[in-house]
Amino acid sequence: MTKYEIMFILSTHLTDEEKKESVAKVEDILAKAGAQEISTEIMGERKLAYPIKKKENGYYVLTNFVIDGTKLIDVETKLNITESLLKYMIVKNEK
């Protein structure tokens, strides 16, 4: 099991309730894939470095988790079809 983190950006056009549901959906996708020790930090709304889908701002969320690296393909497949996500990146956490 390896430590990873996912930074994902949600649209700021979502309501607060929709943002919470989207964060819960990502956590659920991770949990169903076998992730453990899931912890989420809401970083809030920030200006994007470049426009994504014609949006200038995004709602940033950072989630740390532990998972078997072979399960990440399943996670990414499900994240790719999640409409509320503007962008995401999963990286190995060396800490």
Side-chain angles (χ1 to χ4, degrees):
M1 300 290 266
T2 309
K3 292 182 181 181
Y4 291 92
E5 62 184 23
I6 177 173
M7 169 75 73
F8 57 96
I9 305 170
L10 301 172
S11 172
T12 56
H13 291 70
L14 299 174
T15 65
D16 289 340
E17 186 62 33
E18 290 172 328
K19 289 175 187 172
K20 288 179 187 177
E21 289 173 6
S22 296
V23 171
K25 183 174 183 177
V26 171
E27 289 176 342
D28 187 49
I29 289 170
L30 291 170
K32 285 182 179 177
Q36 301 170 353
E37 301 176 29
I38 300 171
S39 65
T40 300
E41 177 185 349
I42 305 295
M43 301 179 77
E45 187 174 333
R46 297 178 182 209
K47 183 165 178 47
L48 298 172
Y50 55 89
I52 301 173
K53 297 182 183 176
K54 299 183 181 178
K55 309 250 185 323
E56 297 290 329
N57 295 316
Y59 188 78
Y60 285 71
V61 182
L62 176 67
T63 301
N64 294 295
F65 58 97
V66 177
I67 194 170
D68 180 21
T70 59
K71 307 279 177 122
L72 286 178
I73 294 171
D74 296 333
V75 171
E76 289 182 342
T77 301
K78 291 178 180 158
L79 291 175
N80 285 336
I81 59 172
T82 305
E83 292 181 17
S84 60
L85 295 181
L86 293 178
K87 202 108 168 135
Y88 73 88
M89 181 183 285
I90 300 175
V91 295
K92 191 174 183 180
N93 191 345
E94 298 291 336
K95 294 180 187 177

Coordinates of all heavy atoms in Angstrom, one line a residue:
M1 N 0.8 -1.2 0.0 CA 0.0 0.0 0.0 C 0.9 1.2 0.0 O 1.9 1.3 0.7 CB -0.9 0.0 1.2 CG -1.8 -1.2 1.4 SD -3.1 -1.2 0.2 CE -4.4 -0.5 1.1
T2 N 0.5 2.2 -0.8 CA 1.3 3.4 -1.0 C 0.5 4.6 -0.8 O -0.7 4.6 -1.0 CB 1.9 3.4 -2.5 OG1 2.5 2.2 -2.8 CG2 2.8 4.6 -2.7
K3 N 1.1 5.7 -0.2 CA 0.4 6.9 0.0 C 0.3 7.7 -1.3 O 1.3 7.9 -2.0 CB 1.2 7.8 1.1 CG 1.1 7.2 2.4 CD 1.8 8.1 3.4 CE 1.8 7.5 4.8 NZ 2.5 8.4 5.8
Y4 N -0.9 8.3 -1.5 CA -1.1 9.1 -2.7 C -1.9 10.3 -2.2 O -2.5 10.3 -1.2 CB -1.9 8.4 -3.8 CG -1.2 7.3 -4.5 CD1 -1.2 6.0 -4.0 CD2 -0.4 7.5 -5.6 CE1 -0.6 4.9 -4.6 CE2 0.3 6.5 -6.2 CZ 0.2 5.2 -5.8 OH 0.9 4.2 -6.4
E5 N -1.9 11.3 -3.1 CA -2.8 12.5 -2.9 C -3.4 12.9 -4.2 O -2.8 12.7 -5.3 CB -2.1 13.6 -2.2 CG -1.0 14.3 -3.0 CD -0.3 15.4 -2.2 OE1 -0.3 15.4 -1.0 OE2 0.3 16.2 -2.9
I6 N -4.7 13.3 -4.1 CA -5.3 13.8 -5.3 C -5.8 15.2 -5.1 O -6.4 15.5 -4.1 CB -6.6 12.9 -5.7 CG1 -7.3 13.5 -6.9 CG2 -7.5 12.7 -4.5 CD1 -8.4 12.6 -7.5
M7 N -5.4 16.1 -6.0 CA -5.9 17.5 -6.0 C -6.9 17.5 -7.1 O -6.6 17.2 -8.3 CB -4.7 18.4 -6.2 CG -5.1 19.9 -6.5 SD -5.7 20.8 -5.1 CE -4.1 21.0 -4.3
F8 N -8.1 18.0 -6.8 CA -9.1 18.1 -7.8 C -9.8 19.5 -7.7 O -9.8 20.1 -6.7 CB -10.1 17.0 -7.9 CG -10.9 16.7 -6.6 CD1 -12.1 17.3 -6.4 CD2 -10.4 15.9 -5.6 CE1 -12.9 17.0 -5.3 CE2 -11.1 15.7 -4.5 CZ -12.3 16.2 -4.3
I9 N -10.2 19.9 -8.9 CA -10.8 21.3 -9.0 C -12.3 21.1 -9.4 O -12.6 20.4 -10.4 CB -10.1 22.1 -10.0 CG1 -8.6 22.2 -9.6 CG2 -10.7 23.5 -10.0 CD1 -7.7 22.9 -10.7
L10 N -13.2 21.7 -8.7 CA -14.6 21.7 -9.0 C -15.0 23.1 -9.5 O -14.3 24.1 -9.3 CB -15.4 21.4 -7.7 CG -15.2 20.1 -7.0 CD1 -15.9 20.1 -5.7 CD2 -15.6 19.0 -7.9
S11 N -16.1 23.1 -10.3 CA -16.6 24.3 -10.8 C -17.1 25.2 -9.7 O -17.7 24.7 -8.8 CB -17.7 24.1 -11.8 OG -18.3 25.3 -12.2
T12 N -16.9 26.5 -9.7 CA -17.4 27.4 -8.7 C -18.9 27.7 -9.0 O -19.5 28.3 -8.1 CB -16.6 28.8 -8.7 OG1 -16.6 29.3 -10.0 CG2 -15.2 28.5 -8.3
H13 N -19.4 27.3 -10.1 CA -20.8 27.5 -10.4 C -21.7 26.5 -9.7 O -22.9 26.6 -9.7 CB -21.1 27.4 -11.9 CG -20.5 28.6 -12.6 ND1 -19.1 28.7 -12.8 CD2 -21.0 29.6 -13.3 CE1 -18.9 29.8 -13.5 NE2 -20.0 30.4 -13.8
L14 N -21.1 25.5 -9.0 CA -21.9 24.6 -8.2 C -22.3 25.2 -6.9 O -21.6 26.0 -6.4 CB -21.0 23.3 -7.9 CG -20.5 22.5 -9.1 CD1 -19.6 21.4 -8.6 CD2 -21.7 21.9 -9.8
T15 N -23.5 24.8 -6.4 CA -23.9 25.2 -5.1 C -23.1 24.5 -4.0 O -22.4 23.6 -4.3 CB -25.4 24.9 -4.9 OG1 -25.5 23.4 -4.8 CG2 -26.3 25.4 -5.9
D16 N -23.1 25.1 -2.8 CA -22.4 24.5 -1.7 C -22.7 23.0 -1.5 O -21.9 22.2 -1.2 CB -22.6 25.2 -0.4 CG -21.9 26.6 -0.4 OD1 -21.0 26.8 -1.2 OD2 -22.3 27.5 0.4
E17 N -24.0 22.7 -1.6 CA -24.5 21.3 -1.5 C -23.9 20.4 -2.6 O -23.5 19.3 -2.3 CB -26.0 21.3 -1.5 CG -26.6 19.9 -1.2 CD -26.2 19.4 0.2 OE1 -26.1 20.2 1.1 OE2 -26.1 18.2 0.3
E18 N -23.9 20.9 -3.8 CA -23.3 20.1 -4.9 C -21.8 19.9 -4.8 O -21.3 18.9 -5.1 CB -23.6 20.8 -6.2 CG -25.1 20.8 -6.7 CD -25.4 21.7 -7.9 OE1 -24.7 22.7 -8.0 OE2 -26.3 21.3 -8.6
K19 N -21.1 20.9 -4.2 CA -19.7 20.8 -3.9 C -19.5 19.7 -2.9 O -18.6 18.8 -3.1 CB -19.1 22.1 -3.5 CG -19.0 23.1 -4.5 CD -18.5 24.5 -4.0 CE -18.6 25.6 -5.0 NZ -18.3 26.9 -4.5
K20 N -20.3 19.7 -1.8 CA -20.1 18.6 -0.8 C -20.4 17.3 -1.4 O -19.7 16.3 -1.1 CB -21.1 18.9 0.4 CG -20.7 20.1 1.2 CD -21.7 20.3 2.3 CE -21.4 21.6 3.1 NZ -22.4 21.9 4.1
E21 N -21.4 17.2 -2.2 CA -21.8 15.9 -2.9 C -20.7 15.4 -3.8 O -20.3 14.2 -3.8 CB -23.1 16.0 -3.7 CG -24.3 16.2 -2.8 CD -25.6 16.5 -3.6 OE1 -25.5 16.4 -4.9 OE2 -26.6 16.7 -3.0
S22 N -20.0 16.3 -4.5 CA -18.9 16.0 -5.4 C -17.7 15.5 -4.6 O -17.1 14.5 -5.0 CB -18.5 17.2 -6.3 OG -19.6 17.5 -7.1
V23 N -17.4 16.1 -3.5 CA -16.3 15.7 -2.7 C -16.6 14.3 -2.1 O -15.7 13.4 -2.1 CB -16.0 16.7 -1.5 CG1 -15.0 16.2 -0.5 CG2 -15.5 18.0 -2.1
A24 N -17.8 14.1 -1.6 CA -18.2 12.8 -1.1 C -18.2 11.7 -2.2 O -17.8 10.6 -1.9 CB -19.6 12.9 -0.5
K25 N -18.5 12.1 -3.4 CA -18.5 11.1 -4.5 C -17.0 10.7 -4.8 O -16.8 9.5 -5.0 CB -19.1 11.8 -5.8 CG -19.1 10.8 -6.9 CD -19.9 11.4 -8.1 CE -20.0 10.3 -9.2 NZ -20.7 10.8 -10.4
V26 N -16.1 11.6 -4.8 CA -14.7 11.3 -5.0 C -14.2 10.4 -3.9 O -13.5 9.4 -4.1 CB -13.8 12.6 -5.1 CG1 -12.3 12.2 -5.1 CG2 -14.1 13.3 -6.4
E27 N -14.5 10.7 -2.6 CA -14.1 9.9 -1.5 C -14.7 8.5 -1.6 O -14.1 7.5 -1.3 CB -14.6 10.6 -0.2 CG -13.8 11.8 0.2 CD -14.3 12.5 1.4 OE1 -15.4 12.2 1.8 OE2 -13.5 13.3 1.9
D28 N -16.0 8.4 -2.1 CA -16.7 7.1 -2.3 C -16.0 6.3 -3.4 O -15.8 5.1 -3.2 CB -18.1 7.4 -2.6 CG -18.9 6.1 -2.7 OD1 -18.8 5.3 -1.7 OD2 -19.7 5.9 -3.6
I29 N -15.6 6.9 -4.5 CA -14.9 6.2 -5.5 C -13.6 5.7 -5.0 O -13.2 4.5 -5.3 CB -14.6 7.2 -6.7 CG1 -15.9 7.5 -7.4 CG2 -13.6 6.6 -7.7 CD1 -15.8 8.6 -8.5
L30 N -12.9 6.4 -4.2 CA -11.6 6.0 -3.6 C -11.9 4.8 -2.6 O -11.1 3.8 -2.7 CB -10.9 7.1 -2.8 CG -10.3 8.2 -3.7 CD1 -9.9 9.4 -2.9 CD2 -9.2 7.7 -4.6
A31 N -12.9 4.9 -1.8 CA -13.2 3.9 -0.8 C -13.6 2.6 -1.5 O -13.1 1.5 -1.1 CB -14.3 4.4 0.1
K32 N -14.4 2.7 -2.5 CA -14.8 1.5 -3.2 C -13.6 0.8 -3.9 O -13.7 -0.4 -4.2 CB -15.9 1.8 -4.2 CG -17.2 2.1 -3.6 CD -18.3 2.3 -4.6 CE -19.7 2.6 -3.9 NZ -20.7 2.9 -4.9
A33 N -12.6 1.5 -4.3 CA -11.4 1.0 -4.9 C -10.5 0.4 -3.9 O -9.4 -0.2 -4.3 CB -10.7 2.0 -5.8
G34 N -10.8 0.5 -2.6 CA -9.9 -0.1 -1.6 C -9.0 0.9 -0.9 O -8.1 0.5 -0.2
A35 N -9.2 2.2 -1.1 CA -8.4 3.2 -0.4 C -8.7 3.2 1.1 O -9.8 3.0 1.5 CB -8.6 4.6 -1.0
Q36 N -7.6 3.5 1.8 CA -7.8 3.6 3.3 C -7.2 4.9 3.8 O -6.5 5.6 3.0 CB -7.0 2.5 4.0 CG -7.5 1.1 3.5 CD -6.6 0.0 4.0 OE1 -5.5 0.3 4.6 NE2 -7.0 -1.2 3.8
E37 N -7.5 5.3 5.0 CA -6.9 6.5 5.6 C -7.2 7.8 4.7 O -6.3 8.6 4.5 CB -5.4 6.4 5.9 CG -5.1 5.2 6.8 CD -3.6 5.1 6.9 OE1 -2.8 6.1 6.8 OE2 -3.1 4.0 7.1
I38 N -8.5 7.9 4.3 CA -8.8 9.0 3.4 C -9.0 10.2 4.3 O -9.8 10.2 5.2 CB -10.1 8.7 2.7 CG1 -9.9 7.4 1.8 CG2 -10.6 9.9 1.8 CD1 -11.2 6.9 1.2
S39 N -8.3 11.3 3.9 CA -8.5 12.6 4.6 C -8.6 13.7 3.6 O -7.8 13.7 2.6 CB -7.4 12.9 5.6 OG -6.1 13.0 4.9
T40 N -9.5 14.6 3.8 CA -9.8 15.6 2.8 C -9.6 17.0 3.4 O -10.1 17.2 4.5 CB -11.2 15.5 2.2 OG1 -11.3 14.2 1.6 CG2 -11.5 16.5 1.2
E41 N -9.0 17.9 2.6 CA -8.8 19.3 3.0 C -9.4 20.1 1.9 O -9.0 20.1 0.8 CB -7.3 19.6 3.1 CG -7.0 21.0 3.5 CD -5.5 21.3 3.5 OE1 -4.7 20.4 3.4 OE2 -5.2 22.5 3.5
I42 N -10.4 20.9 2.3 CA -11.0 21.9 1.4 C -10.1 23.1 1.4 O -10.0 23.8 2.4 CB -12.4 22.2 1.9 CG1 -13.3 21.0 2.1 CG2 -13.1 23.2 0.9 CD1 -13.6 20.2 0.9
M43 N -9.6 23.5 0.2 CA -8.8 24.6 0.1 C -9.5 25.9 -0.4 O -9.0 27.0 -0.3 CB -7.6 24.3 -0.9 CG -6.8 23.1 -0.4 SD -5.5 22.7 -1.5 CE -4.3 23.9 -1.1
G44 N -10.7 25.6 -0.9 CA -11.6 26.8 -1.2 C -11.4 27.3 -2.7 O -10.7 26.7 -3.5
E45 N -12.1 28.4 -2.9 CA -12.0 29.0 -4.3 C -10.8 29.8 -4.5 O -10.3 30.5 -3.7 CB -13.3 29.9 -4.4 CG -13.4 30.4 -5.8 CD -14.7 31.2 -6.0 OE1 -15.7 31.0 -5.3 OE2 -14.7 32.1 -6.9
R46 N -10.2 29.5 -5.7 CA -8.9 30.2 -6.1 C -9.0 30.5 -7.6 O -9.7 29.8 -8.3 CB -7.7 29.4 -5.8 CG -7.5 29.1 -4.3 CD -6.4 28.3 -4.0 NE -6.3 28.0 -2.6 CZ -5.2 27.8 -2.0 NH1 -4.0 27.8 -2.6 NH2 -5.2 27.6 -0.7
K47 N -8.2 31.4 -8.0 CA -8.0 31.7 -9.4 C -7.2 30.6 -10.1 O -6.2 30.2 -9.5 CB -7.4 33.1 -9.6 CG -7.3 33.5 -11.0 CD -7.0 35.0 -11.1 CE -6.8 35.5 -12.5 NZ -7.8 35.1 -13.5
L48 N -7.7 30.2 -11.2 CA -6.9 29.2 -12.0 C -5.7 29.8 -12.7 O -5.8 31.0 -13.1 CB -7.9 28.5 -13.0 CG -9.1 27.8 -12.5 CD1 -10.0 27.4 -13.6 CD2 -8.7 26.6 -11.7
A49 N -4.7 29.0 -12.9 CA -3.5 29.5 -13.6 C -3.8 29.8 -15.1 O -3.2 30.7 -15.7 CB -2.4 28.5 -13.5
Y50 N -4.8 29.0 -15.6 CA -5.2 29.2 -17.0 C -6.7 28.8 -17.1 O -7.1 27.9 -16.2 CB -4.4 28.4 -18.0 CG -4.3 26.9 -17.7 CD1 -5.2 26.0 -18.2 CD2 -3.3 26.4 -16.8 CE1 -5.1 24.7 -17.9 CE2 -3.2 25.1 -16.5 CZ -4.1 24.2 -17.1 OH -4.1 22.9 -16.8
P51 N -7.5 29.3 -18.0 CA -8.9 28.9 -18.1 C -9.0 27.4 -18.4 O -8.3 26.8 -19.2 CB -9.4 29.7 -19.2 CG -8.5 30.8 -19.4 CD -7.1 30.3 -19.0
I52 N -10.0 26.8 -17.7 CA -10.3 25.4 -17.9 C -11.8 25.4 -18.2 O -12.6 25.8 -17.3 CB -10.0 24.5 -16.6 CG1 -8.6 24.6 -16.3 CG2 -10.5 23.1 -16.9 CD1 -8.2 23.9 -15.0
K53 N -12.2 24.9 -19.3 CA -13.6 24.8 -19.8 C -14.3 26.2 -19.6 O -15.4 26.4 -19.1 CB -14.4 23.8 -19.0 CG -13.9 22.4 -19.2 CD -14.7 21.4 -18.5 CE -14.2 20.0 -18.7 NZ -14.9 19.0 -17.9
K54 N -13.5 27.2 -20.0 CA -14.0 28.6 -20.0 C -14.2 29.2 -18.6 O -15.0 30.1 -18.5 CB -15.2 28.8 -20.9 CG -14.9 28.5 -22.4 CD -16.1 28.7 -23.2 CE -15.8 28.3 -24.7 NZ -16.9 28.5 -25.5
K55 N -13.6 28.6 -17.6 CA -13.8 29.0 -16.2 C -12.5 29.7 -15.7 O -11.4 29.2 -16.0 CB -14.2 27.9 -15.3 CG -15.4 27.1 -15.8 CD -16.5 27.2 -14.9 CE -17.7 26.4 -15.3 NZ -18.1 26.1 -16.6
E56 N -12.6 30.8 -15.0 CA -11.4 31.5 -14.5 C -11.1 31.1 -13.1 O -9.9 31.3 -12.7 CB -11.6 33.0 -14.6 CG -11.8 33.5 -16.0 CD -10.6 33.5 -16.8 OE1 -9.5 33.6 -16.3 OE2 -10.7 33.3 -18.1
N57 N -12.0 30.6 -12.3 CA -11.9 30.3 -10.9 C -12.3 28.8 -10.7 O -13.1 28.3 -11.4 CB -12.7 31.2 -10.0 CG -12.2 32.6 -10.0 OD1 -11.0 32.9 -10.0 ND2 -13.1 33.5 -10.1
G58 N -11.7 28.2 -9.6 CA -12.0 26.8 -9.3 C -12.1 26.6 -7.8 O -11.5 27.4 -7.0
Y59 N -12.7 25.6 -7.4 CA -12.9 25.2 -6.0 C -11.9 24.0 -5.8 O -12.2 22.9 -6.3 CB -14.3 24.8 -5.7 CG -14.7 24.6 -4.3 CD1 -14.8 25.6 -3.4 CD2 -14.8 23.3 -3.8 CE1 -15.2 25.4 -2.1 CE2 -15.2 23.1 -2.5 CZ -15.3 24.1 -1.6 OH -15.7 23.9 -0.3
Y60 N -10.8 24.3 -5.1 CA -9.8 23.3 -4.9 C -10.0 22.4 -3.7 O -10.4 22.8 -2.6 CB -8.4 24.0 -4.7 CG -7.9 24.6 -6.0 CD1 -8.4 25.7 -6.6 CD2 -6.7 24.0 -6.6 CE1 -7.9 26.2 -7.7 CE2 -6.2 24.5 -7.7 CZ -6.8 25.6 -8.3 OH -6.3 26.2 -9.5
V61 N -9.7 21.1 -3.9 CA -9.8 20.1 -2.8 C -8.6 19.2 -2.9 O -8.3 18.7 -4.0 CB -11.1 19.3 -2.9 CG1 -11.3 18.3 -1.8 CG2 -12.4 20.2 -3.0
L62 N -8.0 18.9 -1.7 CA -6.9 18.0 -1.6 C -7.3 16.8 -0.7 O -7.7 17.0 0.4 CB -5.7 18.7 -1.0 CG -4.4 17.9 -0.8 CD1 -3.8 17.4 -2.1 CD2 -3.4 18.6 0.0
T63 N -7.1 15.6 -1.3 CA -7.4 14.4 -0.5 C -6.2 13.5 -0.5 O -5.6 13.2 -1.5 CB -8.6 13.6 -1.2 OG1 -9.7 14.5 -1.2 CG2 -8.9 12.4 -0.4
N64 N -5.8 13.0 0.7 CA -4.7 12.1 0.9 C -5.3 10.7 1.2 O -6.4 10.6 1.9 CB -3.9 12.5 2.1 CG -3.1 13.8 1.8 OD1 -2.3 13.8 1.0 ND2 -3.5 14.8 2.6
F65 N -4.7 9.7 0.7 CA -5.2 8.3 0.9 C -4.1 7.3 0.7 O -3.0 7.6 0.2 CB -6.4 8.0 -0.1 CG -6.1 8.2 -1.5 CD1 -5.7 7.1 -2.3 CD2 -6.1 9.4 -2.1 CE1 -5.4 7.2 -3.6 CE2 -5.8 9.6 -3.5 CZ -5.5 8.4 -4.2
V66 N -4.4 6.1 1.1 CA -3.4 4.9 0.9 C -4.1 3.9 0.1 O -5.3 3.5 0.4 CB -3.0 4.4 2.3 CG1 -2.1 3.2 2.1 CG2 -2.4 5.4 3.2
I67 N -3.5 3.4 -1.0 CA -4.1 2.4 -1.8 C -3.0 1.6 -2.6 O -1.9 2.1 -2.7 CB -5.0 3.2 -2.9 CG1 -6.0 2.2 -3.6 CG2 -4.2 3.9 -3.9 CD1 -7.0 2.9 -4.4
D68 N -3.4 0.5 -3.0 CA -2.6 -0.3 -3.9 C -2.5 0.3 -5.2 O -3.6 0.6 -5.8 CB -3.1 -1.8 -4.0 CG -2.3 -2.7 -4.9 OD1 -1.1 -2.4 -5.1 OD2 -2.9 -3.7 -5.3
G69 N -1.3 0.6 -5.7 CA -1.2 1.3 -7.0 C -1.9 0.8 -8.2 O -2.2 1.5 -9.1
T70 N -2.1 -0.6 -8.2 CA -2.8 -1.2 -9.3 C -4.2 -0.8 -9.4 O -4.9 -1.0 -10.5 CB -2.6 -2.7 -9.3 OG1 -3.2 -3.2 -8.0 CG2 -1.2 -3.1 -9.3
K71 N -4.8 -0.3 -8.3 CA -6.2 0.1 -8.3 C -6.5 1.5 -8.8 O -7.6 1.9 -9.0 CB -6.8 0.0 -6.9 CG -6.5 -1.3 -6.2 CD -7.6 -2.3 -6.6 CE -7.3 -3.6 -5.9 NZ -8.3 -4.2 -5.1
L72 N -5.4 2.2 -9.1 CA -5.6 3.6 -9.5 C -6.2 3.7 -10.9 O -6.8 4.7 -11.2 CB -4.2 4.4 -9.5 CG -3.7 4.7 -8.1 CD1 -2.3 5.4 -8.3 CD2 -4.7 5.6 -7.4
I73 N -6.0 2.7 -11.7 CA -6.6 2.8 -13.1 C -8.1 2.8 -13.0 O -8.8 3.5 -13.7 CB -6.1 1.6 -13.9 CG1 -4.6 1.7 -14.2 CG2 -6.9 1.5 -15.2 CD1 -4.0 0.5 -14.8
D74 N -8.7 2.0 -12.0 CA -10.1 2.0 -11.8 C -10.6 3.3 -11.3 O -11.6 3.8 -11.7 CB -10.5 0.9 -10.8 CG -10.2 -0.5 -11.3 OD1 -10.2 -0.7 -12.5 OD2 -10.0 -1.4 -10.5
V75 N -9.8 3.9 -10.4 CA -10.2 5.2 -9.8 C -10.2 6.3 -10.9 O -11.2 7.1 -11.1 CB -9.2 5.6 -8.7 CG1 -9.4 7.1 -8.3 CG2 -9.3 4.7 -7.5
E76 N -9.2 6.3 -11.7 CA -9.1 7.3 -12.8 C -10.2 7.1 -13.9 O -10.7 8.1 -14.4 CB -7.7 7.3 -13.5 CG -6.6 7.8 -12.6 CD -5.2 7.9 -13.2 OE1 -5.0 7.2 -14.2 OE2 -4.4 8.6 -12.7
T77 N -10.5 5.9 -14.1 CA -11.6 5.7 -15.1 C -12.9 6.3 -14.6 O -13.6 6.9 -15.4 CB -11.8 4.1 -15.3 OG1 -10.6 3.6 -15.8 CG2 -12.9 3.9 -16.3
K78 N -13.2 6.1 -13.3 CA -14.4 6.7 -12.8 C -14.4 8.2 -12.6 O -15.4 8.9 -12.8 CB -14.7 6.0 -11.4 CG -15.2 4.6 -11.6 CD -15.4 3.9 -10.3 CE -15.8 2.5 -10.6 NZ -15.6 1.6 -9.5
L79 N -13.2 8.7 -12.3 CA -13.0 10.2 -12.2 C -13.2 10.9 -13.5 O -13.7 12.0 -13.6 CB -11.7 10.5 -11.6 CG -11.5 10.2 -10.1 CD1 -10.1 10.5 -9.7 CD2 -12.5 10.9 -9.2
N80 N -12.7 10.2 -14.6 CA -12.8 10.8 -15.9 C -14.3 11.1 -16.4 O -14.5 11.9 -17.2 CB -12.1 9.9 -17.0 CG -10.6 10.1 -16.8 OD1 -10.1 11.0 -16.4 ND2 -9.9 9.0 -17.3
I81 N -15.2 10.3 -15.9 CA -16.6 10.5 -16.3 C -17.4 11.3 -15.2 O -18.6 11.4 -15.3 CB -17.3 9.1 -16.6 CG1 -17.3 8.2 -15.4 CG2 -16.6 8.5 -17.8 CD1 -18.1 7.0 -15.6
T82 N -16.7 11.8 -14.2 CA -17.4 12.7 -13.2 C -17.5 14.1 -13.7 O -16.5 14.8 -13.9 CB -16.6 12.6 -11.9 OG1 -16.5 11.3 -11.5 CG2 -17.4 13.4 -10.8
E83 N -18.7 14.5 -14.1 CA -18.9 15.8 -14.7 C -18.5 17.0 -13.9 O -18.2 18.1 -14.4 CB -20.3 15.9 -15.2 CG -20.7 15.0 -16.3 CD -22.1 15.1 -16.8 OE1 -22.7 16.1 -16.5 OE2 -22.6 14.2 -17.5
S84 N -18.7 16.9 -12.6 CA -18.4 18.1 -11.7 C -16.9 18.5 -11.6 O -16.6 19.6 -11.2 CB -19.0 17.9 -10.3 OG -18.5 16.8 -9.7
L85 N -16.0 17.5 -12.0 CA -14.6 17.8 -11.9 C -14.1 18.5 -13.1 O -14.3 18.1 -14.2 CB -13.8 16.5 -11.8 CG -14.0 15.6 -10.5 CD1 -13.1 14.4 -10.6 CD2 -13.7 16.4 -9.3
L86 N -13.5 19.7 -12.9 CA -12.8 20.4 -14.0 C -11.5 19.7 -14.4 O -11.2 19.5 -15.5 CB -12.6 21.8 -13.7 CG -13.8 22.7 -13.4 CD1 -13.3 24.1 -13.1 CD2 -14.6 22.8 -14.7
K87 N -10.7 19.3 -13.3 CA -9.4 18.8 -13.5 C -9.0 18.0 -12.2 O -9.5 18.4 -11.2 CB -8.4 19.9 -13.8 CG -7.2 19.5 -14.5 CD -7.2 20.1 -15.8 CE -5.9 20.0 -16.5 NZ -6.1 19.6 -17.9
Y88 N -8.2 17.0 -12.4 CA -7.6 16.4 -11.2 C -6.2 15.8 -11.5 O -5.9 15.7 -12.7 CB -8.5 15.2 -10.7 CG -8.5 14.0 -11.7 CD1 -7.6 13.0 -11.5 CD2 -9.4 13.9 -12.7 CE1 -7.5 11.9 -12.3 CE2 -9.3 12.8 -13.6 CZ -8.4 11.8 -13.3 OH -8.3 10.7 -14.2
M89 N -5.5 15.6 -10.4 CA -4.2 15.0 -10.6 C -3.9 14.1 -9.4 O -4.1 14.6 -8.2 CB -3.1 16.1 -10.7 CG -1.7 15.5 -10.8 SD -0.4 16.8 -10.9 CE -0.6 17.4 -12.5
I90 N -3.4 12.9 -9.6 CA -3.1 12.0 -8.5 C -1.6 11.9 -8.6 O -1.0 11.6 -9.6 CB -3.7 10.6 -8.7 CG1 -5.3 10.8 -8.7 CG2 -3.3 9.7 -7.6 CD1 -6.0 9.5 -9.1
V91 N -0.9 12.1 -7.4 CA 0.5 11.9 -7.3 C 0.9 11.1 -6.1 O 0.1 11.0 -5.1 CB 1.2 13.3 -7.2 CG1 1.1 14.1 -8.5 CG2 0.8 14.1 -6.0
K92 N 2.0 10.4 -6.2 CA 2.5 9.6 -5.1 C 3.1 10.6 -4.0 O 3.8 11.5 -4.3 CB 3.6 8.7 -5.6 CG 4.0 7.7 -4.7 CD 5.0 6.7 -5.4 CE 5.4 5.6 -4.5 NZ 6.4 4.7 -5.2
N93 N 2.7 10.3 -2.8 CA 3.1 11.2 -1.7 C 4.3 10.5 -1.0 O 4.1 9.5 -0.4 CB 1.9 11.4 -0.7 CG 2.2 12.5 0.3 OD1 3.3 12.9 0.5 ND2 1.1 12.9 1.0
E94 N 5.4 11.1 -1.1 CA 6.7 10.5 -0.5 C 6.8 10.8 1.0 O 7.8 10.3 1.6 CB 7.9 11.1 -1.2 CG 7.9 10.7 -2.7 CD 8.1 9.3 -3.0 OE1 8.7 8.6 -2.1 OE2 7.7 8.8 -4.0
K95 N 5.9 11.6 1.6 CA 6.1 11.9 3.0 C 5.9 10.8 3.9 O 5.1 9.9 3.8 CB 5.1 13.0 3.4 CG 5.4 14.3 2.7 CD 4.5 15.4 3.1 CE 4.7 16.6 2.3 NZ 3.7 17.7 2.6

